[in-house]
Amino acid sequence: MNHAQWKTRRTRRLLCESVEESPAYAEAGYAFALGQAVYGRRTELGLSQTELARRAGMTRPHVSTIEGGGTVPTLPLLARLAKALDASVAIDLDGDTSAFAFIARGGRSSVARVRLAEVGEEGCPCGRGEE
C-alpha cells in the first residue's frame, strides 16, 4: 500500500469501514487511562511531579512519562504509586474500556476511564451499520 492509499483509523471509522483494534492500540489506551488517574490523584492532593517522584522513589521525568501515557508500569511500580498517592489502586479492563482509579484512604477516588473503541456493537458512528 502506498501513502496515497493509506487512511487513518478515524477516517476508516467515519467511512463505516471495519477497524481492527491492535494489541498496541489497546495497550496505549491502558497507559493513557493510568496516566490520567495518576495526574488526577496527584493534583487532588496538591502535589508536584517532583514531590510525587520523591515519595515514590523515582525521577520526575518518569512521573511525567507515566502521566503522559508513555508507559504501562509494572505491578510493583503501581504499588509504589498507590502508596505515594495515599490511595489504593483499582484496575478495570473490560473489553473496549479501561479504568484506573486511585481510591483515597478516606473513600474519594480519581477515576480515569478510556473508551478504547469508539465504534461499539451498534455499528459505525454514522448510523448506517457495517456493510
Side-chain angles (χ1 to χ4, degrees):
M1 173 185 304
N2 67 35
H3 182 66
Q5 296 170 325
W6 182 78
K7 295 179 189 173
T8 64
R9 296 175 46 75
R10 181 178 179 277
T11 301
R12 290 194 319 258
R13 260 198 307 272
L14 291 172
L15 293 173
C16 297
E17 296 175 2
S18 70
V19 178
E20 289 188 30
E21 305 300 336
S22 71
Y25 181 78
E27 192 171 298
Y30 301 150
F32 182 72
L34 174 67
Q36 286 185 319
V38 170
Y39 173 81
R41 179 67 181 152
R42 179 180 65 79
T43 57
E44 190 177 283
L45 292 173
L47 299 176
S48 66
Q49 286 184 343
T50 303
E51 177 60 18
L52 176 57
R54 186 192 65 73
R55 287 181 175 197
M58 62 181 72
T59 65
R60 192 215 48 84
H62 194 187
V63 171
S64 179
T65 299
I66 292 168
E67 287 185 357
T71 185
V72 177
T74 62
L75 290 175
L77 183 54
L78 281 174
R80 285 183 12 220
L81 283 170
K83 183 176 180 183
L85 293 168
D86 192 31
S88 60
V89 65
I91 303 170
D92 180 16
L93 306 175
D94 180 26
D96 62 349
T97 61
S98 63
F100 291 83
F102 285 94
I103 303 167
R105 303 279 188 246
R108 288 189 60 204
S109 68
S110 296
V111 178
R113 182 171 297 275
V114 174
R115 183 161 174 78
L116 297 177
E118 292 179 16
V119 179
E121 295 174 1
E122 310 84 45
C124 71
C126 61
R128 293 191 309 232
E130 301 275 338
E131 295 180 14

mmCIF file of all heavy atoms in Angstrom, residues 41-67:
data_model
loop_
_atom_site.group_PDB
_atom_site.id
_atom_site.type_symbol
_atom_site.label_atom_id
_atom_site.label_comp_id
_atom_site.label_asym_id
_atom_site.label_seq_id
_atom_site.Cartn_x
_atom_site.Cartn_y
_atom_site.Cartn_z
ATOM 1 N N ARG A 41 -5.173 12.145 40.753
ATOM 2 C CA ARG A 41 -4.935 11.975 42.201
ATOM 3 C C ARG A 41 -3.824 12.911 42.683
ATOM 4 O O ARG A 41 -3.930 13.502 43.763
ATOM 5 C CB ARG A 41 -4.589 10.509 42.501
ATOM 6 C CG ARG A 41 -4.313 10.244 43.958
ATOM 7 C CD ARG A 41 -5.533 10.420 44.834
ATOM 8 N NE ARG A 41 -5.167 10.179 46.220
ATOM 9 C CZ ARG A 41 -5.762 10.719 47.254
ATOM 10 N NH1 ARG A 41 -6.806 11.503 47.089
ATOM 11 N NH2 ARG A 41 -5.359 10.449 48.469
ATOM 12 N N ARG A 42 -2.758 13.071 41.878
ATOM 13 C CA ARG A 42 -1.656 13.949 42.271
ATOM 14 C C ARG A 42 -2.142 15.386 42.433
ATOM 15 O O ARG A 42 -1.837 16.045 43.436
ATOM 16 C CB ARG A 42 -0.527 13.893 41.232
ATOM 17 C CG ARG A 42 0.641 14.815 41.565
ATOM 18 C CD ARG A 42 1.735 14.741 40.522
ATOM 19 N NE ARG A 42 1.348 15.209 39.213
ATOM 20 C CZ ARG A 42 1.258 16.494 38.848
ATOM 21 N NH1 ARG A 42 1.502 17.448 39.727
ATOM 22 N NH2 ARG A 42 0.923 16.825 37.617
ATOM 23 N N THR A 43 -2.927 15.873 41.479
ATOM 24 C CA THR A 43 -3.406 17.254 41.574
ATOM 25 C C THR A 43 -4.452 17.396 42.676
ATOM 26 O O THR A 43 -4.542 18.452 43.302
ATOM 27 C CB THR A 43 -3.968 17.750 40.228
ATOM 28 O OG1 THR A 43 -5.006 16.880 39.783
ATOM 29 C CG2 THR A 43 -2.868 17.829 39.177
ATOM 30 N N GLU A 44 -5.214 16.346 42.916
ATOM 31 C CA GLU A 44 -6.186 16.357 44.013
ATOM 32 C C GLU A 44 -5.482 16.562 45.349
ATOM 33 O O GLU A 44 -5.984 17.248 46.236
ATOM 34 C CB GLU A 44 -6.938 15.021 44.003
ATOM 35 C CG GLU A 44 -8.132 14.916 44.897
ATOM 36 C CD GLU A 44 -8.801 13.562 44.699
ATOM 37 O OE1 GLU A 44 -9.508 13.388 43.691
ATOM 38 O OE2 GLU A 44 -8.589 12.676 45.561
ATOM 39 N N LEU A 45 -4.290 15.973 45.481
ATOM 40 C CA LEU A 45 -3.500 16.103 46.705
ATOM 41 C C LEU A 45 -2.667 17.381 46.726
ATOM 42 O O LEU A 45 -2.048 17.705 47.740
ATOM 43 C CB LEU A 45 -2.560 14.898 46.861
ATOM 44 C CG LEU A 45 -3.215 13.551 47.133
ATOM 45 C CD1 LEU A 45 -2.184 12.442 47.091
ATOM 46 C CD2 LEU A 45 -3.951 13.571 48.463
ATOM 47 N N GLY A 46 -2.611 18.083 45.600
ATOM 48 C CA GLY A 46 -1.817 19.308 45.519
ATOM 49 C C GLY A 46 -0.321 19.044 45.448
ATOM 50 O O GLY A 46 0.482 19.883 45.859
ATOM 51 N N LEU A 47 0.059 17.878 44.924
ATOM 52 C CA LEU A 47 1.467 17.513 44.828
ATOM 53 C C LEU A 47 2.044 17.924 43.480
ATOM 54 O O LEU A 47 1.356 17.876 42.471
ATOM 55 C CB LEU A 47 1.649 15.996 44.972
ATOM 56 C CG LEU A 47 1.198 15.345 46.271
ATOM 57 C CD1 LEU A 47 1.365 13.834 46.179
ATOM 58 C CD2 LEU A 47 1.983 15.902 47.440
ATOM 59 N N SER A 48 3.308 18.265 43.481
ATOM 60 C CA SER A 48 4.024 18.483 42.230
ATOM 61 C C SER A 48 4.521 17.127 41.731
ATOM 62 O O SER A 48 4.559 16.144 42.482
ATOM 63 C CB SER A 48 5.212 19.417 42.445
ATOM 64 O OG SER A 48 6.175 18.782 43.276
ATOM 65 N N GLN A 49 4.927 17.076 40.464
ATOM 66 C CA GLN A 49 5.520 15.843 39.953
ATOM 67 C C GLN A 49 6.790 15.501 40.723
ATOM 68 O O GLN A 49 7.049 14.324 40.997
ATOM 69 C CB GLN A 49 5.843 15.979 38.460
ATOM 70 C CG GLN A 49 4.634 15.924 37.565
ATOM 71 C CD GLN A 49 5.004 15.954 36.096
ATOM 72 O OE1 GLN A 49 6.116 16.327 35.717
ATOM 73 N NE2 GLN A 49 4.068 15.568 35.251
ATOM 74 N N THR A 50 7.539 16.508 41.088
ATOM 75 C CA THR A 50 8.777 16.300 41.838
ATOM 76 C C THR A 50 8.495 15.657 43.192
ATOM 77 O O THR A 50 9.178 14.718 43.611
ATOM 78 C CB THR A 50 9.525 17.633 42.019
ATOM 79 O OG1 THR A 50 9.779 18.185 40.731
ATOM 80 C CG2 THR A 50 10.829 17.446 42.776
ATOM 81 N N GLU A 51 7.464 16.147 43.884
ATOM 82 C CA GLU A 51 7.115 15.595 45.190
ATOM 83 C C GLU A 51 6.606 14.160 45.060
ATOM 84 O O GLU A 51 6.960 13.293 45.860
ATOM 85 C CB GLU A 51 6.081 16.476 45.899
ATOM 86 C CG GLU A 51 5.612 15.943 47.242
ATOM 87 C CD GLU A 51 6.725 15.757 48.283
ATOM 88 O OE1 GLU A 51 7.820 16.330 48.126
ATOM 89 O OE2 GLU A 51 6.489 15.025 49.265
ATOM 90 N N LEU A 52 5.772 13.895 44.055
ATOM 91 C CA LEU A 52 5.300 12.527 43.845
ATOM 92 C C LEU A 52 6.477 11.605 43.543
ATOM 93 O O LEU A 52 6.555 10.495 44.071
ATOM 94 C CB LEU A 52 4.271 12.459 42.711
ATOM 95 C CG LEU A 52 3.789 11.055 42.334
ATOM 96 C CD1 LEU A 52 3.185 10.323 43.533
ATOM 97 C CD2 LEU A 52 2.793 11.122 41.188
ATOM 98 N N ALA A 53 7.398 12.070 42.718
ATOM 99 C CA ALA A 53 8.580 11.268 42.390
ATOM 100 C C ALA A 53 9.386 10.953 43.650
ATOM 101 O O ALA A 53 9.836 9.814 43.843
ATOM 102 C CB ALA A 53 9.448 12.008 41.376
ATOM 103 N N ARG A 54 9.566 11.941 44.506
ATOM 104 C CA ARG A 54 10.302 11.721 45.748
ATOM 105 C C ARG A 54 9.599 10.679 46.610
ATOM 106 O O ARG A 54 10.221 9.754 47.118
ATOM 107 C CB ARG A 54 10.440 13.036 46.528
ATOM 108 C CG ARG A 54 11.330 12.925 47.774
ATOM 109 C CD ARG A 54 11.229 14.136 48.674
ATOM 110 N NE ARG A 54 9.908 14.314 49.269
ATOM 111 C CZ ARG A 54 9.391 13.561 50.253
ATOM 112 N NH1 ARG A 54 10.076 12.565 50.755
ATOM 113 N NH2 ARG A 54 8.188 13.810 50.733
ATOM 114 N N ARG A 55 8.286 10.809 46.753
ATOM 115 C CA ARG A 55 7.519 9.869 47.577
ATOM 116 C C ARG A 55 7.560 8.451 47.019
ATOM 117 O O ARG A 55 7.535 7.478 47.774
ATOM 118 C CB ARG A 55 6.056 10.304 47.657
ATOM 119 C CG ARG A 55 5.793 11.507 48.512
ATOM 120 C CD ARG A 55 4.305 11.794 48.522
ATOM 121 N NE ARG A 55 3.937 12.872 49.411
ATOM 122 C CZ ARG A 55 2.686 13.085 49.826
ATOM 123 N NH1 ARG A 55 1.706 12.303 49.434
ATOM 124 N NH2 ARG A 55 2.440 14.088 50.629
ATOM 125 N N ALA A 56 7.566 8.331 45.683
ATOM 126 C CA ALA A 56 7.508 7.011 45.042
ATOM 127 C C ALA A 56 8.887 6.437 44.738
ATOM 128 O O ALA A 56 8.992 5.316 44.228
ATOM 129 C CB ALA A 56 6.691 7.098 43.753
ATOM 130 N N GLY A 57 9.942 7.202 45.018
ATOM 131 C CA GLY A 57 11.288 6.711 44.769
ATOM 132 C C GLY A 57 11.624 6.595 43.291
ATOM 133 O O GLY A 57 12.220 5.615 42.854
ATOM 134 N N MET A 58 11.213 7.595 42.529
ATOM 135 C CA MET A 58 11.514 7.615 41.101
ATOM 136 C C MET A 58 11.887 9.031 40.698
ATOM 137 O O MET A 58 11.924 9.913 41.544
ATOM 138 C CB MET A 58 10.321 7.106 40.280
ATOM 139 C CG MET A 58 9.050 7.945 40.407
ATOM 140 S SD MET A 58 7.647 7.330 39.458
ATOM 141 C CE MET A 58 7.204 5.883 40.384
ATOM 142 N N THR A 59 12.148 9.248 39.434
ATOM 143 C CA THR A 59 12.518 10.578 38.967
ATOM 144 C C THR A 59 11.297 11.344 38.480
ATOM 145 O O THR A 59 10.283 10.738 38.115
ATOM 146 C CB THR A 59 13.538 10.495 37.814
ATOM 147 O OG1 THR A 59 12.912 9.861 36.690
ATOM 148 C CG2 THR A 59 14.784 9.728 38.226
ATOM 149 N N ARG A 60 11.401 12.679 38.453
ATOM 150 C CA ARG A 60 10.301 13.498 37.942
ATOM 151 C C ARG A 60 10.002 13.193 36.477
ATOM 152 O O ARG A 60 8.846 13.079 36.101
ATOM 153 C CB ARG A 60 10.598 14.988 38.145
ATOM 154 C CG ARG A 60 9.340 15.838 37.896
ATOM 155 C CD ARG A 60 9.607 17.180 37.266
ATOM 156 N NE ARG A 60 10.474 17.184 36.136
ATOM 157 C CZ ARG A 60 10.093 16.938 34.870
ATOM 158 N NH1 ARG A 60 8.860 16.626 34.578
ATOM 159 N NH2 ARG A 60 10.970 16.979 33.899
ATOM 160 N N PRO A 61 11.028 12.994 35.608
ATOM 161 C CA PRO A 61 10.714 12.631 34.222
ATOM 162 C C PRO A 61 9.945 11.313 34.104
ATOM 163 O O PRO A 61 9.102 11.162 33.214
ATOM 164 C CB PRO A 61 12.087 12.533 33.552
ATOM 165 C CG PRO A 61 12.953 13.441 34.345
ATOM 166 C CD PRO A 61 12.467 13.292 35.765
ATOM 167 N N HIS A 62 10.207 10.370 35.026
ATOM 168 C CA HIS A 62 9.461 9.107 34.995
ATOM 169 C C HIS A 62 7.989 9.350 35.332
ATOM 170 O O HIS A 62 7.093 8.794 34.687
ATOM 171 C CB HIS A 62 10.091 8.107 35.963
ATOM 172 C CG HIS A 62 9.622 6.707 35.757
ATOM 173 N ND1 HIS A 62 9.955 5.688 36.587
ATOM 174 C CD2 HIS A 62 8.817 6.138 34.818
ATOM 175 C CE1 HIS A 62 9.381 4.564 36.188
ATOM 176 N NE2 HIS A 62 8.691 4.823 35.113
ATOM 177 N N VAL A 63 7.723 10.196 36.316
ATOM 178 C CA VAL A 63 6.338 10.548 36.652
ATOM 179 C C VAL A 63 5.676 11.221 35.451
ATOM 180 O O VAL A 63 4.541 10.913 35.093
ATOM 181 C CB VAL A 63 6.272 11.467 37.897
ATOM 182 C CG1 VAL A 63 4.866 12.010 38.102
ATOM 183 C CG2 VAL A 63 6.742 10.719 39.138
ATOM 184 N N SER A 64 6.391 12.120 34.807
ATOM 185 C CA SER A 64 5.863 12.812 33.632
ATOM 186 C C SER A 64 5.529 11.828 32.515
ATOM 187 O O SER A 64 4.482 11.944 31.861
ATOM 188 C CB SER A 64 6.879 13.846 33.140
ATOM 189 O OG SER A 64 6.397 14.504 31.991
ATOM 190 N N THR A 65 6.399 10.859 32.296
ATOM 191 C CA THR A 65 6.160 9.844 31.261
ATOM 192 C C THR A 65 4.909 9.037 31.583
ATOM 193 O O THR A 65 4.088 8.774 30.696
ATOM 194 C CB THR A 65 7.382 8.914 31.133
ATOM 195 O OG1 THR A 65 8.507 9.696 30.754
ATOM 196 C CG2 THR A 65 7.144 7.834 30.090
ATOM 197 N N ILE A 66 4.749 8.650 32.834
ATOM 198 C CA ILE A 66 3.563 7.887 33.240
ATOM 199 C C ILE A 66 2.302 8.724 33.035
ATOM 200 O O ILE A 66 1.322 8.263 32.446
ATOM 201 C CB ILE A 66 3.681 7.417 34.709
ATOM 202 C CG1 ILE A 66 4.784 6.377 34.841
ATOM 203 C CG2 ILE A 66 2.345 6.859 35.213
ATOM 204 C CD1 ILE A 66 5.172 6.064 36.270
ATOM 205 N N GLU A 67 2.317 9.978 33.497
ATOM 206 C CA GLU A 67 1.141 10.844 33.362
ATOM 207 C C GLU A 67 0.813 11.132 31.900
ATOM 208 O O GLU A 67 -0.333 11.346 31.554
ATOM 209 C CB GLU A 67 1.349 12.154 34.118
ATOM 210 C CG GLU A 67 1.279 11.996 35.602
ATOM 211 C CD GLU A 67 1.371 13.317 36.341
ATOM 212 O OE1 GLU A 67 1.555 14.368 35.707
ATOM 213 O OE2 GLU A 67 1.246 13.289 37.586
#
